[in-house]
Amino acid sequence: MVTFEGRDLILGPQFVTAALDSIVKARGGTGVPTGADTATLRANALDIVTKRIQANRQRQGFNPNAGPTQCHDITVYPAIGLAGGACGGYGLLLDIRDAANPKRVGAVSDSNFSFWHSATFNNDGSKILFTDEWGGGLQPRCRVTDKPEWGADAIFTLSATTLAFKSYYKLPVAQTVNENCVAHNGTLIPVPGRDIMAQGWYQGGVSVFDWTDPAHPKEVAFFDRGPMDSTKLLGAGSWSAYWYNGYIISSEIARGLDIFELTPSQLLTQNEIDAAKLIHFDYLNAQDQQQLVWPTSFVVARAYIDQLARSNGLPAARIADIRDALSRAERAAGPARSTALSALLTRLNTDVQTSTDQPKVRLLIAEVTDLNK
């Protein structure tokens, strides 16, 4: 491994083999490299890498002051006419309403970021999250000695074309020196009323976190298998964690495919999980972000009620009354159901005036209104 321009680079077996062969030939030897040859390579590795990179840059007409020359990943969100570009040293916002003529309309930078890797919008397009794949995914960036800003997610609010930084999210539990760990690929989990994301962190495992409050993201679920080898650093772990029709699919580099199903907790209820499962994809392309639209359902309404209970948006007794009223309406049919839902709506329109979580009550009112159509 060498550190070039502040970035750790792992020298792969092909590079090492070719370099050792060159060292053997340079001393007039043949056959298998010796320990002395290996020592020579270690002493000169950075110089070799530097010369190769500089030669490539010279051939390509590299300008060190030109900024990024390419984007690693671009996530398009056609429903809101925007794309997020993770472009090496910057995060870009692109207007793609005229797809044949995209325009750069915003940009952000961060001295804590090493390599802007990917972008994800929240569902209503009011936020965007960028990941930093510091070390190319092959370094341990989640050690207890690593700062929380390193190899993390950066969360921005989005107002028109203005991006405002709010916070970082990083795996909350430190990993060992023998586990490559950094923010990598993920997607939204379609829980109505919340911004929740599943994300792979290489040997840090899979983290599911809530960034509804962009200034205070919080992990709500996780899976961590532990190091591939507790005695040395090997490249392994969850390369990606994508929600797909009720499951989280994780491509685990060294061990194969992991398939997970969420289980309820104080941070995520069964109603919220069931509501997420109402969303069905015929196919998934994580970089072509589709707007999530939930079918009208009693389970969506119950998910909103659970969220009101969690936020203490209404008194506990009132929450219990709303649950009972919704259950009675669900058991009824025809005119009786409509009457029950109308009565619930009348109460909810009063509740919204005193609630400490009025946006969530309004979501519940909208869902009950649709149920009553």
Side-chain angles (χ1 to χ4, degrees):
M1 185 186 76
V2 298
T3 302
F4 179 78
E5 295 182 351
R7 185 179 178 190
D8 292 337
L9 303 176
I10 289 182
L11 308 181
Q14 186 175 357
F15 174 92
V16 171
T17 299
L20 284 173
D21 286 346
S22 296
I23 291 171
V24 171
K25 292 176 182 177
R27 64 174 172 79
T30 58
V32 178
T34 66
D37 295 327
T38 300
T40 299
L41 175 57
R42 288 183 183 277
N44 294 279
L46 178 57
D47 184 56
I48 295 170
V49 169
T50 300
K51 288 179 178 178
R52 289 191 180 186
I53 292 176
Q54 290 175 343
N56 287 335
R57 286 176 170 178
Q58 187 173 8
R59 285 195 297 269
Q60 297 168 5
F62 175 73
N63 178 358
N65 299 315
T69 58
Q70 62 180 2
C71 293
H72 183 280
D73 278 31
I74 298 176
T75 298
V76 298
Y77 195 173
I80 63 172
L82 293 173
C87 302
Y90 297 89
L92 302 185
L93 187 67
L94 308 175
D95 183 333
I96 59 168
R97 288 173 295 179
D98 180 358
N101 298 285
K103 297 179 181 179
R104 169 177 163 169
V105 293
V108 286
S109 62
D110 190 329
S111 60
N112 287 311
F113 262 39
S114 173
F115 187 75
W116 296 67
H117 173 272
S118 58
T120 302
F121 293 91
N122 73 328
N123 193 49
D124 67 9
S126 63
K127 310 182 192 87
I128 186 170
L129 177 151
F130 292 98
T131 68
D132 176 16
E133 194 186 26
W134 192 335
L138 297 174
Q139 292 301 301
R141 287 300 181 197
C142 302
R143 299 162 298 186
V144 69
T145 54
D146 290 320
K147 292 183 179 181
E149 299 91 347
W150 292 354
D153 299 321
I155 300 171
F156 296 81
T157 55
L158 182 57
S159 177
T161 59
T162 301
L163 295 94
F165 173 78
K166 292 300 177 180
S167 68
Y168 298 100
Y169 175 76
K170 190 171 184 181
L171 204 67
V173 177
Q175 304 296 301
T176 71
V177 297
N178 293 318
E179 293 176 281
N180 56 310
C181 177
V182 73
H184 210 232
N185 294 325
T187 60
L188 297 181
I189 295 179
V191 174
R194 299 174 71 181
D195 299 323
I196 296 182
M197 185 168 174
Q199 186 175 27
W201 288 77
Y202 289 100
Q203 287 193 74
V206 175
S207 181
V208 176
F209 60 96
D210 185 328
W211 51 301
T212 308
D213 178 354
H216 302 93
K218 182 178 182 179
E219 187 174 68
V220 298
F222 71 94
F223 178 84
D224 186 359
R225 194 189 299 269
M228 186 71 185
D229 189 320
S230 62
T231 65
K232 58 181 179 292
L233 177 62
L234 298 174
S238 179
W239 185 86
S240 64
Y242 297 147
W243 171 273
Y244 188 73
N245 297 342
Y247 300 94
I248 297 171
I249 313 298
S250 169
S251 61
E252 218 287 1
I253 293 170
R255 298 180 174 106
L257 193 68
D258 289 329
I259 301 177
F260 304 105
E261 188 170 15
L262 289 167
T263 56
S265 69
Q266 291 182 337
L267 301 175
L268 188 67
T269 68
Q270 188 64 56
N271 287 323
E272 291 174 304
I273 295 170
D274 290 344
K277 290 181 177 181
L278 294 175
I279 296 293
H280 177 84
F281 298 108
D282 291 330
Y283 69 93
L284 176 67
N285 177 352
Q287 289 174 262
D288 178 13
Q289 191 167 332
Q290 301 300 305
Q291 193 162 49
L292 304 172
V293 180
W294 290 264
T296 301
S297 170
F298 280 93
V299 74
V300 172
R302 286 195 291 269
Y304 291 145
I305 296 170
D306 290 347
Q307 291 164 18
L308 276 169
R310 187 182 295 113
S311 68
N312 297 312
L314 289 170
R318 182 67 193 121
I319 293 289
D321 289 343
I322 293 171
R323 292 190 198 278
D324 289 343
L326 187 68
S327 295
R328 289 195 299 271
E330 186 175 17
R331 290 192 296 269
R337 172 176 286 187
S338 180
T339 298
L341 289 172
S342 295
L344 176 56
L345 280 170
T346 298
R347 290 292 306 275
L348 288 174
N349 280 305
T350 300
D351 291 330
V352 74
Q353 305 303 319
T354 58
S355 173
T356 58
D357 191 354
Q358 293 185 358
K360 197 55 57 70
V361 178
R362 292 192 181 97
L363 285 174
L364 178 58
I365 289 172
E367 190 66 21
V368 174
T369 300
D370 288 343
L371 287 167
N372 198 27
K373 290 179 179 177

